[in-house]
Amino acid sequence: MDTQPPVPPEIWEHTPPVAQELIVTQATALAQLRAEVAQLKAMVEELTQRLGRNSRNSSQPPSADPPQARIRSRREPSGRRPGGQPGHEGQTRAMVSVEEVAVVIPVKPMRCLRCQHPLQGEDPQPQRHQVMEIPPIKPVVTEYQLHRLVCPGCGEATRAELPAGVARGGFGPRVQAMTALCTGAYHLSKRTTQNVMEDLFGVSMGLGTVANPEQATVQALAEPVAEARAHVHAQPAASVDETGWREGHQRAWLWTAVTAWGTVFVVRLSRSAKVAQELLGERFWGWLVTDRWSAYTWYPTWRRQLCWAHLLRDIEAMIERGGCSRDTGEALQAQARQMFHGWHRVRDGTLAQASCARYMRPIRREVERLLEAGQTCGVPKTAGVCREILKVRQALWTFVRHAGVEPTNHVAERAIRPGVLWRKGSFGTQSPDGSRFVEAMMTVVATLKQQHRHVLDYLTAACEAALYGQAAPSLLPTLDHLKEYMRPAA
């Protein structure tokens, strides 16, 4: 018999064969049951962890958190009423200068409030109160009457052509731009856009016609969007992120790359490194801020900055696993808080960038020591996360060495958030043409808002340029834009 007897040899030798066979059978069954119990325990643990996942301990978005998960804040209630507190500096709408006001109406008191004596004179500094109003909007309709005349010489009839710059359809460039803005920036449905154009602007538009301005706008924006994408390739730093999307019946992803003066988007049917390389360009050699998704591992680790916000979620998951994992997670969490405290001081100007390295040096040593210890904590998931982070440990501290690099990927996550809301409202796009519209509009809106430029004015100018066969205005910032942005507020 090859199986090790389940009882001492001296007893086993005096055990009848029938009993030996029964004992071996029961021992084998017991071993199988123990293996199944261990497997079921691991399965229960995995399912329990899945049930406990939320936006604080995983990459799950806050919108997917269960209603009972009270994870918004761990702070104890202060007992104060919601809203602004006494002494808080209020935020009010800035007044328009007197030169830009259409009508100024002086209002003077006729008599003294106390003794009713008649009052005269001028207040050198009267209290100003401004009321904004929008006048009734009525579209301007221009009719072109194309005459058809017969030549007296040969009898040939010739009809006049529309002048240059006149739309071949029934709507001008501003109507086209506003329609694209409603669906592409404000994410209104086509039916809602139809109602908005009718109710607010008096423009009657068929439901099926709403898609025509969208595609015309994509064509008008083709060159500036391509130029903006090429601009990303030469930037000194970029933040990249991606989120799920749908194109027809296929799974897709919406990608974004954010730089100092521009943000670009693409929709692709892949979440692979190939798309990241397309987005950044083959010659990109800037500092790259990302999460730990495998699509970015092709880029040199020493030129990457990993997102500490994602790391904090992993640490939270370690704490919730309990035991040794909890001890490791709590120690890492304390170091992360110290790191963010120092980073906030750098951002606020109370800690010089040159001094940041000295501040972070002991934090870095302790974080890496804890990660090394976490590899042998006995909790497989925690050990695996620690090993994974240690492989790219250098990318945790790039922000310390280089000014302008942030320790989180929040800028890219904020940029892609409108795309997430768009997906939730429309379930993605139905065709590649729809995806191209999403790419173009999100690129234009995000980039112009970064540069504090007017979106509707730009879209109108681009649509008008297309009618004349001219190039659309560039999305890249001009010197005037930069001066306006850098000018101190009055």
mmCIF file of all heavy atoms in Angstrom, residues 178-199 203-216 218 245 422 425-431 433-435 437-438 441:
data_model
loop_
_atom_site.group_PDB
_atom_site.id
_atom_site.type_symbol
_atom_site.label_atom_id
_atom_site.label_comp_id
_atom_site.label_asym_id
_atom_site.label_seq_id
_atom_site.Cartn_x
_atom_site.Cartn_y
_atom_site.Cartn_z
ATOM 1 N N MET A 178 -24.548 75.870 -31.975
ATOM 2 C CA MET A 178 -25.373 75.734 -30.766
ATOM 3 C C MET A 178 -25.972 74.330 -30.665
ATOM 4 O O MET A 178 -26.081 73.770 -29.571
ATOM 5 C CB MET A 178 -26.473 76.791 -30.778
ATOM 6 C CG MET A 178 -25.943 78.211 -30.651
ATOM 7 S SD MET A 178 -27.222 79.458 -30.807
ATOM 8 C CE MET A 178 -28.022 79.289 -29.237
ATOM 9 N N THR A 179 -26.361 73.771 -31.793
ATOM 10 C CA THR A 179 -26.905 72.404 -31.780
ATOM 11 C C THR A 179 -25.841 71.403 -31.332
ATOM 12 O O THR A 179 -26.096 70.525 -30.492
ATOM 13 C CB THR A 179 -27.420 72.029 -33.172
ATOM 14 O OG1 THR A 179 -28.374 73.006 -33.614
ATOM 15 C CG2 THR A 179 -28.071 70.658 -33.166
ATOM 16 N N ALA A 180 -24.628 71.537 -31.884
ATOM 17 C CA ALA A 180 -23.534 70.648 -31.482
ATOM 18 C C ALA A 180 -23.173 70.845 -30.013
ATOM 19 O O ALA A 180 -22.820 69.892 -29.309
ATOM 20 C CB ALA A 180 -22.317 70.887 -32.361
ATOM 21 N N LEU A 181 -23.278 72.082 -29.536
ATOM 22 C CA LEU A 181 -22.965 72.364 -28.138
ATOM 23 C C LEU A 181 -23.991 71.703 -27.211
ATOM 24 O O LEU A 181 -23.632 71.160 -26.163
ATOM 25 C CB LEU A 181 -22.949 73.878 -27.917
ATOM 26 C CG LEU A 181 -22.308 74.391 -26.629
ATOM 27 C CD1 LEU A 181 -20.818 74.053 -26.599
ATOM 28 C CD2 LEU A 181 -22.496 75.895 -26.499
ATOM 29 N N CYS A 182 -25.264 71.726 -27.599
ATOM 30 C CA CYS A 182 -26.307 71.115 -26.766
ATOM 31 C C CYS A 182 -26.081 69.613 -26.614
ATOM 32 O O CYS A 182 -26.161 69.065 -25.510
ATOM 33 C CB CYS A 182 -27.680 71.381 -27.372
ATOM 34 S SG CYS A 182 -28.284 73.062 -27.140
ATOM 35 N N THR A 183 -25.806 68.935 -27.723
ATOM 36 C CA THR A 183 -25.649 67.475 -27.654
ATOM 37 C C THR A 183 -24.242 67.072 -27.239
ATOM 38 O O THR A 183 -24.060 66.076 -26.544
ATOM 39 C CB THR A 183 -25.972 66.846 -29.023
ATOM 40 O OG1 THR A 183 -25.100 67.398 -30.019
ATOM 41 C CG2 THR A 183 -27.409 67.123 -29.408
ATOM 42 N N GLY A 184 -23.225 67.842 -27.660
ATOM 43 C CA GLY A 184 -21.847 67.429 -27.435
ATOM 44 C C GLY A 184 -21.205 67.959 -26.181
ATOM 45 O O GLY A 184 -20.224 67.381 -25.695
ATOM 46 N N ALA A 185 -21.718 69.058 -25.591
ATOM 47 C CA ALA A 185 -21.137 69.606 -24.371
ATOM 48 C C ALA A 185 -22.085 69.486 -23.189
ATOM 49 O O ALA A 185 -21.666 69.185 -22.075
ATOM 50 C CB ALA A 185 -20.756 71.076 -24.583
ATOM 51 N N TYR A 186 -23.374 69.716 -23.445
ATOM 52 C CA TYR A 186 -24.357 69.635 -22.369
ATOM 53 C C TYR A 186 -25.039 68.272 -22.321
ATOM 54 O O TYR A 186 -25.860 68.023 -21.430
ATOM 55 C CB TYR A 186 -25.403 70.740 -22.542
ATOM 56 C CG TYR A 186 -24.796 72.115 -22.662
ATOM 57 C CD1 TYR A 186 -25.286 73.049 -23.561
ATOM 58 C CD2 TYR A 186 -23.694 72.483 -21.888
ATOM 59 C CE1 TYR A 186 -24.724 74.303 -23.687
ATOM 60 C CE2 TYR A 186 -23.114 73.727 -22.010
ATOM 61 C CZ TYR A 186 -23.633 74.643 -22.907
ATOM 62 O OH TYR A 186 -23.064 75.879 -23.037
ATOM 63 N N HIS A 187 -24.726 67.394 -23.291
ATOM 64 C CA HIS A 187 -25.193 66.000 -23.310
ATOM 65 C C HIS A 187 -26.715 65.893 -23.305
ATOM 66 O O HIS A 187 -27.284 65.007 -22.660
ATOM 67 C CB HIS A 187 -24.606 65.225 -22.123
ATOM 68 C CG HIS A 187 -23.116 65.364 -22.006
ATOM 69 N ND1 HIS A 187 -22.449 65.224 -20.812
ATOM 70 C CD2 HIS A 187 -22.167 65.659 -22.923
ATOM 71 C CE1 HIS A 187 -21.152 65.423 -21.000
ATOM 72 N NE2 HIS A 187 -20.962 65.688 -22.280
ATOM 73 N N LEU A 188 -27.361 66.809 -24.005
ATOM 74 C CA LEU A 188 -28.810 66.729 -24.145
ATOM 75 C C LEU A 188 -29.155 65.700 -25.228
ATOM 76 O O LEU A 188 -28.415 65.531 -26.192
ATOM 77 C CB LEU A 188 -29.390 68.091 -24.531
ATOM 78 C CG LEU A 188 -29.102 69.261 -23.577
ATOM 79 C CD1 LEU A 188 -29.787 70.519 -24.089
ATOM 80 C CD2 LEU A 188 -29.538 68.937 -22.164
ATOM 81 N N SER A 189 -30.293 65.061 -25.079
ATOM 82 C CA SER A 189 -30.749 64.147 -26.124
ATOM 83 C C SER A 189 -31.142 64.945 -27.358
ATOM 84 O O SER A 189 -31.339 66.165 -27.294
ATOM 85 C CB SER A 189 -31.935 63.319 -25.627
ATOM 86 O OG SER A 189 -33.075 64.155 -25.458
ATOM 87 N N LYS A 190 -31.284 64.260 -28.465
ATOM 88 C CA LYS A 190 -31.661 64.951 -29.694
ATOM 89 C C LYS A 190 -33.058 65.547 -29.588
ATOM 90 O O LYS A 190 -33.326 66.634 -30.098
ATOM 91 C CB LYS A 190 -31.539 64.000 -30.879
ATOM 92 C CG LYS A 190 -30.082 63.689 -31.238
ATOM 93 C CD LYS A 190 -29.987 62.741 -32.398
ATOM 94 C CE LYS A 190 -28.536 62.609 -32.872
ATOM 95 N NZ LYS A 190 -27.599 62.260 -31.806
ATOM 96 N N ARG A 191 -33.960 64.851 -28.928
ATOM 97 C CA ARG A 191 -35.307 65.403 -28.766
ATOM 98 C C ARG A 191 -35.289 66.625 -27.857
ATOM 99 O O ARG A 191 -35.967 67.627 -28.124
ATOM 100 C CB ARG A 191 -36.247 64.334 -28.205
ATOM 101 C CG ARG A 191 -37.712 64.764 -28.209
ATOM 102 C CD ARG A 191 -38.615 63.617 -27.769
ATOM 103 N NE ARG A 191 -38.530 62.486 -28.682
ATOM 104 C CZ ARG A 191 -39.203 62.409 -29.831
ATOM 105 N NH1 ARG A 191 -39.976 63.404 -30.211
ATOM 106 N NH2 ARG A 191 -39.071 61.342 -30.594
ATOM 107 N N THR A 192 -34.516 66.561 -26.763
ATOM 108 C CA THR A 192 -34.413 67.722 -25.879
ATOM 109 C C THR A 192 -33.750 68.889 -26.597
ATOM 110 O O THR A 192 -34.149 70.047 -26.428
ATOM 111 C CB THR A 192 -33.619 67.357 -24.611
ATOM 112 O OG1 THR A 192 -34.238 66.248 -23.961
ATOM 113 C CG2 THR A 192 -33.552 68.528 -23.653
ATOM 114 N N THR A 193 -32.726 68.596 -27.398
ATOM 115 C CA THR A 193 -32.076 69.649 -28.174
ATOM 116 C C THR A 193 -33.062 70.297 -29.143
ATOM 117 O O THR A 193 -33.083 71.528 -29.311
ATOM 118 C CB THR A 193 -30.879 69.068 -28.942
ATOM 119 O OG1 THR A 193 -29.927 68.556 -28.012
ATOM 120 C CG2 THR A 193 -30.222 70.129 -29.813
ATOM 121 N N GLN A 194 -33.887 69.482 -29.767
ATOM 122 C CA GLN A 194 -34.920 70.013 -30.669
ATOM 123 C C GLN A 194 -35.834 70.979 -29.908
ATOM 124 O O GLN A 194 -36.144 72.067 -30.409
ATOM 125 C CB GLN A 194 -35.737 68.854 -31.249
ATOM 126 C CG GLN A 194 -36.868 69.287 -32.164
ATOM 127 C CD GLN A 194 -37.830 68.131 -32.456
ATOM 128 O OE1 GLN A 194 -37.988 67.235 -31.634
ATOM 129 N NE2 GLN A 194 -38.440 68.162 -33.620
ATOM 130 N N ASN A 195 -36.221 70.601 -28.692
ATOM 131 C CA ASN A 195 -37.100 71.466 -27.901
ATOM 132 C C ASN A 195 -36.393 72.734 -27.449
ATOM 133 O O ASN A 195 -36.996 73.810 -27.427
ATOM 134 C CB ASN A 195 -37.619 70.689 -26.685
ATOM 135 C CG ASN A 195 -38.522 69.533 -27.073
ATOM 136 O OD1 ASN A 195 -39.148 69.554 -28.136
ATOM 137 N ND2 ASN A 195 -38.588 68.516 -26.231
ATOM 138 N N VAL A 196 -35.127 72.620 -27.074
ATOM 139 C CA VAL A 196 -34.366 73.796 -26.640
ATOM 140 C C VAL A 196 -34.238 74.810 -27.771
ATOM 141 O O VAL A 196 -34.439 76.017 -27.577
ATOM 142 C CB VAL A 196 -32.975 73.371 -26.123
ATOM 143 C CG1 VAL A 196 -32.056 74.581 -25.988
ATOM 144 C CG2 VAL A 196 -33.098 72.661 -24.786
ATOM 145 N N MET A 197 -33.904 74.331 -28.956
ATOM 146 C CA MET A 197 -33.751 75.243 -30.084
ATOM 147 C C MET A 197 -35.069 75.934 -30.420
ATOM 148 O O MET A 197 -35.086 77.108 -30.813
ATOM 149 C CB MET A 197 -33.228 74.478 -31.302
ATOM 150 C CG MET A 197 -31.858 73.853 -31.110
ATOM 151 S SD MET A 197 -30.561 75.036 -30.669
ATOM 152 C CE MET A 197 -30.446 75.995 -32.167
ATOM 153 N N GLU A 198 -36.181 75.226 -30.249
ATOM 154 C CA GLU A 198 -37.499 75.807 -30.519
ATOM 155 C C GLU A 198 -37.923 76.766 -29.411
ATOM 156 O O GLU A 198 -38.350 77.894 -29.666
ATOM 157 C CB GLU A 198 -38.533 74.692 -30.677
ATOM 158 C CG GLU A 198 -39.973 75.160 -30.767
ATOM 159 C CD GLU A 198 -40.285 75.846 -32.074
ATOM 160 O OE1 GLU A 198 -39.677 75.475 -33.109
ATOM 161 O OE2 GLU A 198 -41.146 76.755 -32.075
ATOM 162 N N ASP A 199 -37.783 76.328 -28.140
ATOM 163 C CA ASP A 199 -38.309 77.109 -27.022
ATOM 164 C C ASP A 199 -37.471 78.341 -26.718
ATOM 165 O O ASP A 199 -38.011 79.407 -26.395
ATOM 166 C CB ASP A 199 -38.394 76.225 -25.768
ATOM 167 C CG ASP A 199 -39.363 75.069 -25.939
ATOM 168 O OD1 ASP A 199 -40.213 75.148 -26.858
ATOM 169 O OD2 ASP A 199 -39.258 74.080 -25.176
ATOM 170 N N VAL A 203 -36.023 78.422 -33.228
ATOM 171 C CA VAL A 203 -35.533 77.717 -34.416
ATOM 172 C C VAL A 203 -36.234 76.366 -34.496
ATOM 173 O O VAL A 203 -36.027 75.500 -33.636
ATOM 174 C CB VAL A 203 -34.003 77.533 -34.368
ATOM 175 C CG1 VAL A 203 -33.529 76.712 -35.564
ATOM 176 C CG2 VAL A 203 -33.307 78.880 -34.331
ATOM 177 N N SER A 204 -37.070 76.174 -35.483
ATOM 178 C CA SER A 204 -37.755 74.894 -35.691
ATOM 179 C C SER A 204 -36.821 73.938 -36.423
ATOM 180 O O SER A 204 -36.293 74.270 -37.488
ATOM 181 C CB SER A 204 -39.041 75.103 -36.494
ATOM 182 O OG SER A 204 -39.936 75.929 -35.781
ATOM 183 N N MET A 205 -36.634 72.758 -35.832
ATOM 184 C CA MET A 205 -35.676 71.802 -36.380
ATOM 185 C C MET A 205 -36.269 70.399 -36.263
ATOM 186 O O MET A 205 -36.758 70.012 -35.201
ATOM 187 C CB MET A 205 -34.359 71.895 -35.608
ATOM 188 C CG MET A 205 -33.245 70.993 -36.110
ATOM 189 S SD MET A 205 -31.737 71.210 -35.119
ATOM 190 C CE MET A 205 -31.284 72.884 -35.518
ATOM 191 N N GLY A 206 -36.262 69.652 -37.340
ATOM 192 C CA GLY A 206 -36.742 68.290 -37.301
ATOM 193 C C GLY A 206 -35.857 67.409 -36.437
ATOM 194 O O GLY A 206 -34.645 67.638 -36.319
ATOM 195 N N LEU A 207 -36.468 66.399 -35.821
ATOM 196 C CA LEU A 207 -35.701 65.520 -34.930
ATOM 197 C C LEU A 207 -34.570 64.827 -35.677
ATOM 198 O O LEU A 207 -33.441 64.720 -35.173
ATOM 199 C CB LEU A 207 -36.635 64.484 -34.305
ATOM 200 C CG LEU A 207 -36.014 63.537 -33.277
ATOM 201 C CD1 LEU A 207 -35.449 64.322 -32.105
ATOM 202 C CD2 LEU A 207 -37.042 62.528 -32.786
ATOM 203 N N GLY A 208 -34.831 64.366 -36.882
ATOM 204 C CA GLY A 208 -33.782 63.708 -37.651
ATOM 205 C C GLY A 208 -32.715 64.656 -38.157
ATOM 206 O O GLY A 208 -31.618 64.236 -38.532
ATOM 207 N N THR A 209 -33.020 65.964 -38.146
ATOM 208 C CA THR A 209 -32.063 66.962 -38.643
ATOM 209 C C THR A 209 -30.974 67.271 -37.628
ATOM 210 O O THR A 209 -29.923 67.791 -37.995
ATOM 211 C CB THR A 209 -32.817 68.260 -39.008
ATOM 212 O OG1 THR A 209 -33.909 67.936 -39.866
ATOM 213 C CG2 THR A 209 -31.923 69.263 -39.697
ATOM 214 N N VAL A 210 -31.220 66.952 -36.349
ATOM 215 C CA VAL A 210 -30.261 67.313 -35.304
ATOM 216 C C VAL A 210 -28.906 66.657 -35.556
ATOM 217 O O VAL A 210 -27.857 67.233 -35.239
ATOM 218 C CB VAL A 210 -30.812 66.912 -33.921
ATOM 219 C CG1 VAL A 210 -29.788 67.192 -32.827
ATOM 220 C CG2 VAL A 210 -32.101 67.665 -33.633
ATOM 221 N N ALA A 211 -28.888 65.461 -36.113
ATOM 222 C CA ALA A 211 -27.620 64.763 -36.347
ATOM 223 C C ALA A 211 -26.791 65.418 -37.453
ATOM 224 O O ALA A 211 -25.562 65.281 -37.469
ATOM 225 C CB ALA A 211 -27.876 63.298 -36.698
ATOM 226 N N ASN A 212 -27.423 66.134 -38.380
ATOM 227 C CA ASN A 212 -26.673 66.739 -39.487
ATOM 228 C C ASN A 212 -25.665 67.795 -39.012
ATOM 229 O O ASN A 212 -24.510 67.780 -39.439
ATOM 230 C CB ASN A 212 -27.641 67.332 -40.510
ATOM 231 C CG ASN A 212 -28.504 66.268 -41.151
ATOM 232 O OD1 ASN A 212 -28.136 65.097 -41.203
ATOM 233 N ND2 ASN A 212 -29.679 66.661 -41.627
ATOM 234 N N PRO A 213 -26.069 68.750 -38.140
ATOM 235 C CA PRO A 213 -25.069 69.695 -37.630
ATOM 236 C C PRO A 213 -23.930 69.038 -36.868
ATOM 237 O O PRO A 213 -22.804 69.538 -36.861
ATOM 238 C CB PRO A 213 -25.889 70.622 -36.727
ATOM 239 C CG PRO A 213 -27.283 70.511 -37.212
ATOM 240 C CD PRO A 213 -27.424 69.091 -37.678
ATOM 241 N N GLU A 214 -24.219 67.892 -36.226
ATOM 242 C CA GLU A 214 -23.159 67.206 -35.486
ATOM 243 C C GLU A 214 -22.038 66.762 -36.422
ATOM 244 O O GLU A 214 -20.853 67.033 -36.164
ATOM 245 C CB GLU A 214 -23.732 65.988 -34.755
ATOM 246 C CG GLU A 214 -24.676 66.330 -33.626
ATOM 247 C CD GLU A 214 -25.210 65.093 -32.928
ATOM 248 O OE1 GLU A 214 -25.026 63.982 -33.455
ATOM 249 O OE2 GLU A 214 -25.818 65.241 -31.851
ATOM 250 N N GLN A 215 -22.392 66.082 -37.505
ATOM 251 C CA GLN A 215 -21.373 65.580 -38.413
ATOM 252 C C GLN A 215 -20.683 66.710 -39.163
ATOM 253 O O GLN A 215 -19.480 66.648 -39.440
ATOM 254 C CB GLN A 215 -21.986 64.576 -39.392
ATOM 255 C CG GLN A 215 -22.443 63.282 -38.721
ATOM 256 C CD GLN A 215 -21.346 62.669 -37.849
ATOM 257 O OE1 GLN A 215 -20.204 62.492 -38.293
ATOM 258 N NE2 GLN A 215 -21.685 62.351 -36.604
ATOM 259 N N ALA A 216 -21.428 67.769 -39.492
ATOM 260 C CA ALA A 216 -20.800 68.925 -40.134
ATOM 261 C C ALA A 216 -19.797 69.582 -39.196
ATOM 262 O O ALA A 216 -18.726 70.048 -39.627
ATOM 263 C CB ALA A 216 -21.877 69.930 -40.563
ATOM 264 N N VAL A 218 -18.094 67.989 -36.812
ATOM 265 C CA VAL A 218 -16.922 67.101 -36.756
ATOM 266 C C VAL A 218 -15.975 67.396 -37.911
ATOM 267 O O VAL A 218 -14.752 67.479 -37.734
ATOM 268 C CB VAL A 218 -17.370 65.614 -36.781
ATOM 269 C CG1 VAL A 218 -16.161 64.700 -36.958
ATOM 270 C CG2 VAL A 218 -18.106 65.256 -35.509
ATOM 271 N N TRP A 245 -16.733 52.382 -22.320
ATOM 272 C CA TRP A 245 -17.602 53.029 -23.299
ATOM 273 C C TRP A 245 -18.320 51.930 -24.082
ATOM 274 O O TRP A 245 -17.997 50.743 -23.942
ATOM 275 C CB TRP A 245 -16.770 53.921 -24.221
ATOM 276 C CG TRP A 245 -17.573 54.878 -25.053
ATOM 277 C CD1 TRP A 245 -17.938 54.750 -26.373
ATOM 278 C CD2 TRP A 245 -18.107 56.123 -24.620
ATOM 279 N NE1 TRP A 245 -18.665 55.831 -26.779
ATOM 280 C CE2 TRP A 245 -18.799 56.696 -25.718
ATOM 281 C CE3 TRP A 245 -18.108 56.814 -23.405
ATOM 282 C CZ2 TRP A 245 -19.459 57.919 -25.649
ATOM 283 C CZ3 TRP A 245 -18.755 58.034 -23.321
ATOM 284 C CH2 TRP A 245 -19.422 58.579 -24.428
ATOM 285 N N TRP A 422 -21.830 61.270 -19.765
ATOM 286 C CA TRP A 422 -22.382 61.113 -21.112
ATOM 287 C C TRP A 422 -22.744 59.648 -21.361
ATOM 288 O O TRP A 422 -23.820 59.330 -21.874
ATOM 289 C CB TRP A 422 -21.354 61.599 -22.128
ATOM 290 C CG TRP A 422 -21.885 61.840 -23.510
ATOM 291 C CD1 TRP A 422 -23.033 61.332 -24.058
ATOM 292 C CD2 TRP A 422 -21.291 62.660 -24.525
ATOM 293 N NE1 TRP A 422 -23.184 61.772 -25.340
ATOM 294 C CE2 TRP A 422 -22.129 62.595 -25.657
ATOM 295 C CE3 TRP A 422 -20.138 63.417 -24.592
ATOM 296 C CZ2 TRP A 422 -21.842 63.265 -26.834
ATOM 297 C CZ3 TRP A 422 -19.849 64.095 -25.760
ATOM 298 C CH2 TRP A 422 -20.693 64.023 -26.865
ATOM 299 N N GLY A 425 -25.870 58.569 -19.568
ATOM 300 C CA GLY A 425 -27.100 59.108 -20.113
ATOM 301 C C GLY A 425 -27.472 58.552 -21.469
ATOM 302 O O GLY A 425 -28.657 58.432 -21.795
ATOM 303 N N SER A 426 -26.468 58.191 -22.273
ATOM 304 C CA SER A 426 -26.752 57.749 -23.650
ATOM 305 C C SER A 426 -26.278 56.336 -23.931
ATOM 306 O O SER A 426 -26.472 55.840 -25.045
ATOM 307 C CB SER A 426 -26.071 58.701 -24.641
ATOM 308 O OG SER A 426 -24.652 58.645 -24.500
ATOM 309 N N PHE A 427 -25.615 55.689 -22.957
ATOM 310 C CA PHE A 427 -25.100 54.320 -23.109
ATOM 311 C C PHE A 427 -24.054 54.246 -24.225
ATOM 312 O O PHE A 427 -23.924 53.226 -24.898
ATOM 313 C CB PHE A 427 -26.235 53.330 -23.378
ATOM 314 C CG PHE A 427 -27.317 53.372 -22.339
ATOM 315 C CD1 PHE A 427 -28.527 53.997 -22.596
ATOM 316 C CD2 PHE A 427 -27.114 52.813 -21.090
ATOM 317 C CE1 PHE A 427 -29.511 54.058 -21.627
ATOM 318 C CE2 PHE A 427 -28.102 52.870 -20.118
ATOM 319 C CZ PHE A 427 -29.298 53.493 -20.392
ATOM 320 N N GLY A 428 -23.312 55.326 -24.425
ATOM 321 C CA GLY A 428 -22.252 55.315 -25.434
ATOM 322 C C GLY A 428 -22.738 55.854 -26.762
ATOM 323 O O GLY A 428 -23.646 56.690 -26.826
ATOM 324 N N THR A 429 -22.143 55.381 -27.843
ATOM 325 C CA THR A 429 -22.486 55.816 -29.193
ATOM 326 C C THR A 429 -22.932 54.617 -30.016
ATOM 327 O O THR A 429 -22.600 53.475 -29.705
ATOM 328 C CB THR A 429 -21.280 56.499 -29.864
ATOM 329 O OG1 THR A 429 -20.108 55.685 -29.675
ATOM 330 C CG2 THR A 429 -21.005 57.860 -29.254
ATOM 331 N N GLN A 430 -23.658 54.900 -31.080
ATOM 332 C CA GLN A 430 -24.207 53.829 -31.901
ATOM 333 C C GLN A 430 -23.332 53.474 -33.097
ATOM 334 O O GLN A 430 -23.552 52.462 -33.749
ATOM 335 C CB GLN A 430 -25.608 54.238 -32.401
ATOM 336 C CG GLN A 430 -26.621 54.422 -31.286
ATOM 337 C CD GLN A 430 -26.798 53.169 -30.456
ATOM 338 O OE1 GLN A 430 -26.936 52.065 -30.991
ATOM 339 N NE2 GLN A 430 -26.781 53.329 -29.130
ATOM 340 N N SER A 431 -22.354 54.321 -33.407
ATOM 341 C CA SER A 431 -21.553 54.095 -34.610
ATOM 342 C C SER A 431 -20.209 54.782 -34.461
ATOM 343 O O SER A 431 -20.022 55.628 -33.576
ATOM 344 C CB SER A 431 -22.284 54.655 -35.838
ATOM 345 O OG SER A 431 -22.356 56.073 -35.738
ATOM 346 N N ASP A 433 -19.103 57.077 -36.384
ATOM 347 C CA ASP A 433 -19.337 58.508 -36.593
ATOM 348 C C ASP A 433 -19.718 59.191 -35.288
ATOM 349 O O ASP A 433 -19.266 60.309 -35.004
ATOM 350 C CB ASP A 433 -20.439 58.720 -37.634
ATOM 351 C CG ASP A 433 -19.983 58.389 -39.045
ATOM 352 O OD1 ASP A 433 -18.758 58.337 -39.270
ATOM 353 O OD2 ASP A 433 -20.843 58.186 -39.918
ATOM 354 N N GLY A 434 -20.548 58.537 -34.494
ATOM 355 C CA GLY A 434 -20.906 59.101 -33.197
ATOM 356 C C GLY A 434 -19.705 59.211 -32.277
ATOM 357 O O GLY A 434 -19.569 60.191 -31.534
ATOM 358 N N SER A 435 -18.816 58.227 -32.321
ATOM 359 C CA SER A 435 -17.608 58.277 -31.489
ATOM 360 C C SER A 435 -16.697 59.420 -31.903
ATOM 361 O O SER A 435 -16.069 60.071 -31.066
ATOM 362 C CB SER A 435 -16.855 56.948 -31.575
ATOM 363 O OG SER A 435 -17.624 55.890 -31.031
ATOM 364 N N PHE A 437 -17.688 62.227 -33.109
ATOM 365 C CA PHE A 437 -18.316 63.436 -32.579
ATOM 366 C C PHE A 437 -17.977 63.610 -31.106
ATOM 367 O O PHE A 437 -17.665 64.718 -30.651
ATOM 368 C CB PHE A 437 -19.832 63.363 -32.784
ATOM 369 C CG PHE A 437 -20.577 64.538 -32.217
ATOM 370 C CD1 PHE A 437 -20.444 65.800 -32.770
ATOM 371 C CD2 PHE A 437 -21.421 64.374 -31.123
ATOM 372 C CE1 PHE A 437 -21.138 66.891 -32.241
ATOM 373 C CE2 PHE A 437 -22.119 65.455 -30.595
ATOM 374 C CZ PHE A 437 -21.976 66.716 -31.159
ATOM 375 N N VAL A 438 -18.026 62.523 -30.341
ATOM 376 C CA VAL A 438 -17.669 62.579 -28.918
ATOM 377 C C VAL A 438 -16.220 63.035 -28.760
ATOM 378 O O VAL A 438 -15.916 63.917 -27.943
ATOM 379 C CB VAL A 438 -17.882 61.195 -28.262
ATOM 380 C CG1 VAL A 438 -17.270 61.159 -26.865
ATOM 381 C CG2 VAL A 438 -19.365 60.867 -28.204
ATOM 382 N N MET A 441 -15.884 66.931 -29.800
ATOM 383 C CA MET A 441 -16.527 67.887 -28.905
ATOM 384 C C MET A 441 -15.885 67.891 -27.526
ATOM 385 O O MET A 441 -15.680 68.956 -26.935
ATOM 386 C CB MET A 441 -18.016 67.574 -28.803
ATOM 387 C CG MET A 441 -18.810 67.917 -30.050
ATOM 388 S SD MET A 441 -18.694 69.668 -30.518
ATOM 389 C CE MET A 441 -19.403 70.461 -29.084
#
